[in-house]
Amino acid sequence: MLFTSPEFFTLLACTFLLYYLVGKAQLQKIILVISSFTFYAWNFPKLLALLCVSILINILTVKAIKQSKAGQRYWWATLGVVINLGILAFFKYSPLLGKTFFESGSSVGEYLMGIPLPIGISFFTFQGLSLVVDTYRAKDGDDNLPEHTGSLVESIALYIAFFPQLIAGPIVKAYEFLPQIAKKAFRDIDWEYCIKQLIVGYFLKMVIADNLKDHTFWMQYPYFMELSGLNLMALLFGYSMQIFADFAGYSLIALGHAGLFGYRLRDNFMFPYISASFSEFWRRWHISLSTFLREYLYIPLGGNRKGKVRTYVNLMLTMVLGGFWHGAAWSYAVWGAAHGIALALERFVNDALPFQWPKGFRFVKIIFIFSVVTLLWLLFRLPAFSEVLLYLSQIKNAPFFKGVNDLNTAFFISMYALPIMAYHGWYLLKESGSKNWAIKLEPLLYACLLFMILVNSGSSGSFIYFQF
Amino acid sequence: MLKKIFLYTALLLIAYTVVLRFLPSDIDTDQSQWGTNVIKARDYILSEEDFKNVIVGTSLSTRLVTDSLGDDFVNLSFSGSTIWDGIELIEAREQKPKRVFIESTFVFKKTDGSLTDYVSKGFSSKLKSTLPVFREKNQPVGVIKGLVTKALKSGGPLASYDSVAVEINPEILEIQSDYFVEEYTDENYEWIFTKKLIWPLERLLDQGIEVVFYEMPLHPSFCESEVIKDVRWHIDELTKREGVSFLKVNNCEAYQTNDGIHLVSHSGLKFTNKLKSQL
């Protein structure tokens, strides 16, 4: 079910009404779980079974960890991690294994390639992992989980299936979400916060991403072979804007909807395109994934505590696995590896430099980081590595300008990129101390965004991160 | 804060409604393929004009220069879509044309009917038919583009994209060939020529509308494909049986396409003139 569909708004309205009418914590949890299951099962009811199995496994594992003695807790937690990763690996990576290691036409290969990818699996299995690990790490039973079995089941089902963030994040950690489960009252809703998140989120998705997608459609092979150099560069820039608007939009909508039900999810994006380094970019982009990988992978691997070489290895490993998390294709691993190399190189150069970068140099660094990040998004857009190389060679070899259509594309991409740049600029303005002036203009700005949602939305399309 | 946001939004909507009244009516506000289709379809549904001749086609027929055919022609050909969308739109509009031209080349392309539903059903389409400010045609970004293009055109004609590129990329030709190499079964033909096409055709004829089938030129290798020859034979039989006209293309090599199926602009004009001479 799409956040922009009439069915979703109907479900949201009914859930909202019932949720605040019942007024009891337990019933509120049940209502949210039923709504979340409806939301998930809407287009593919069969996939609900997998979500339920995932929830059940995590309930059993958590129960076992809680009831076991110190020595056994480790093994239950390990088993929980292995099962969660196993589910993810089976459904997400079997087609890739089938394609890579088996001849076409072989029965095993065909079987593996025929396994469907359940929507949102990367998100809910990672939340399952967080639950198992956080329960294991909790000291003196301080795991925020209820003792009563019925209540435990409801809480875990709600944590994993909560519909605002179920299929495309943000990835919510158990220790952030579970303490929030309690009775919620209508009067406690922070309407201003929710409406602001929803306006910006829907603007980014419906006005920016949905309009840009109709242009970046032509980045597919072989259509891009017909385009001019100007067009190819404009489309690549447009895709960079689109992927930000699409995913940041989804995350903000999720934050807004969660807020309506009394839950605060952490920001997933913090103006990433003003980053002046790769490490800053990863502190601002898909924050819930990068913090997850840091807390549950990079630090357990040793982080930066085991010498320089090991730090670089840990960075590379974390980023390659982070790349693979996005999709079952080698291009995602290459994308992750490229970011890993960039992070390692950056750390090496910063350690080796005998001076600090001058402050005025920041703008040049922002442009550089943005350009590299944008170039690497090609690995997201084009599934085959050979197509990525062909696209890049076409930028160099195709005529720079072919005709009036080039200007059309460049015009639309500039028009829809402008708000994204202004959005980042707005943040810099507020940060630079022009806060009062900026705050006074806020109602008018939000009104402009709402106006554009009403009169300038593009054709409805899926969120890019649904495929992950 | 929230009250201010909603109040300003209402004021912006009112102000923009006023601005729209002063905009030139001939600006081209298309932004994308889908947007172009929706604007064209909605214009047809909402227009009070008496269109006597309606062209129904796929993206192939979008290359016809409709203006040169006359004021009472409207072209309901949609890129990325099918003839069924145009036929559904004719059925959805109360005022019927006198003559309908149906492109016969891509009859096997399927539609989900989403375009007609999108412009004629539901709350959103009712809102858009009542309040022009919400129509795709009036989207601010499209309007700005239309005004800029109009200003630039006043300084002389702009170079057309495909007036330069006429060499067809072999990979694109390969993709386009999929339709022509697919083997359609007898059941496929039976479904199209005894049911799917017959129902709307007979409804149009019953309402006293004259129907003309026509072919669009293709790359010569596609023109002689088995699918095209079979479809031509079936349409021939059908038109003889129903007593309607069928305009065939027998000289594809006289036209140029940019991808094997879509005519370049000068060929589009040439074929439109030929069509006009046959009417």
Side-chain angles (χ1 to χ4, degrees), chain B residues 157-200:
Chain B
L158 296 168
S160 160
Y161 197 72
D162 61 12
S163 60
V164 187
V166 287
E167 204 174 303
I168 306 172
N169 183 312
E171 278 110 344
I172 289 183
L173 202 60
E174 177 76 26
I175 286 184
Q176 302 291 16
S177 70
D178 286 353
Y179 178 85
F180 303 99
V181 295
E182 192 166 334
E183 287 178 14
Y184 298 96
T185 61
D186 288 346
E187 285 77 30
N188 291 143
Y189 279 99
E190 198 183 326
W191 163 245
I192 292 288
F193 292 102
T194 62
K195 289 177 182 145
K196 177 94 174 162
L197 196 54
I198 292 294
W199 294 331

Side-chain angles (χ1 to χ4, degrees), chain A residues 398-428:
Chain A
F400 182 74
F401 185 74
K402 279 190 173 180
V404 72
N405 274 15
D406 291 350
L407 294 178
N408 252 342
T409 307
F411 172 82
F412 285 122
I413 286 175
S414 310
M415 288 299 284
Y416 289 113
L418 208 63
I420 304 281
M421 292 192 276
Y423 179 66
H424 285 76
W426 183 252
Y427 171 76
L428 287 175

Side-chain angles (χ1 to χ4, degrees), chain B residues 103-116:
Chain B
E103 179 202 305
S104 66
T105 315
F106 269 11
V107 285
F108 284 117
K109 267 187 92 176
K110 287 175 189 155
T111 183
D112 55 5
S114 61
L115 184 63
T116 313

Side-chain angles (χ1 to χ4, degrees), chain A residues 192 195-196 214-215 218 221-222 225-226 402 404-406 408 411-412 415-416 442-444 446-447 450-451 454-457 459, chain B residues 1-2 4-6 8-9 12-13 16 30-34 133-134 139-141 144-145 158-159 161 164 169 171-172 175 258:
Chain A
E192 191 175 315
I195 300 289
K196 278 179 167 180
D214 289 337
H215 298 281
W218 302 105
Y221 177 80
M225 299 291 287
E226 290 295 291
K402 279 190 173 180
V404 72
N405 274 15
D406 291 350
N408 252 342
F411 172 82
F412 285 122
M415 288 299 284
Y416 289 113
E442 264 187 0
L444 184 61
Y446 281 103
L450 186 54
F451 167 74
L454 294 171
V455 301
N456 208 118
S457 292
S459 62
Chain B
M1 173 78 150
L2 291 182
K4 274 187 189 173
I5 292 174
F6 294 126
Y8 289 160
T9 307
L12 282 167
L13 283 170
Y16 191 59
D30 296 354
Q31 294 187 58
S32 62
Q33 187 172 289
W34 168 252
V133 70
F134 294 113
Q139 292 197 340
V141 174
I144 294 170
K145 172 244 169 181
L158 296 168
Y161 197 72
V164 187
N169 183 312
E171 278 110 344
I172 289 183
I175 286 184
N258 57 10

Side-chain angles (χ1 to χ4, degrees), chain B residues 43-44 47-55 65-76 93 97-99 101 272 276 279:
Chain B
D43 272 356
Y44 178 71
S47 173
E48 286 173 3
E49 265 185 73
D50 180 19
F51 296 115
K52 290 196 167 60
N53 299 286
V54 178
I55 297 168
V65 186
T66 319
D67 290 349
S68 72
L69 290 170
D71 287 344
D72 56 358
F73 270 80
V74 63
N75 189 345
L76 296 184
R93 191 176 192 245
K98 283 200 170 142
R99 218 166 18 165
F101 296 83
T272 310
K276 198 174 168 182
L279 299 179

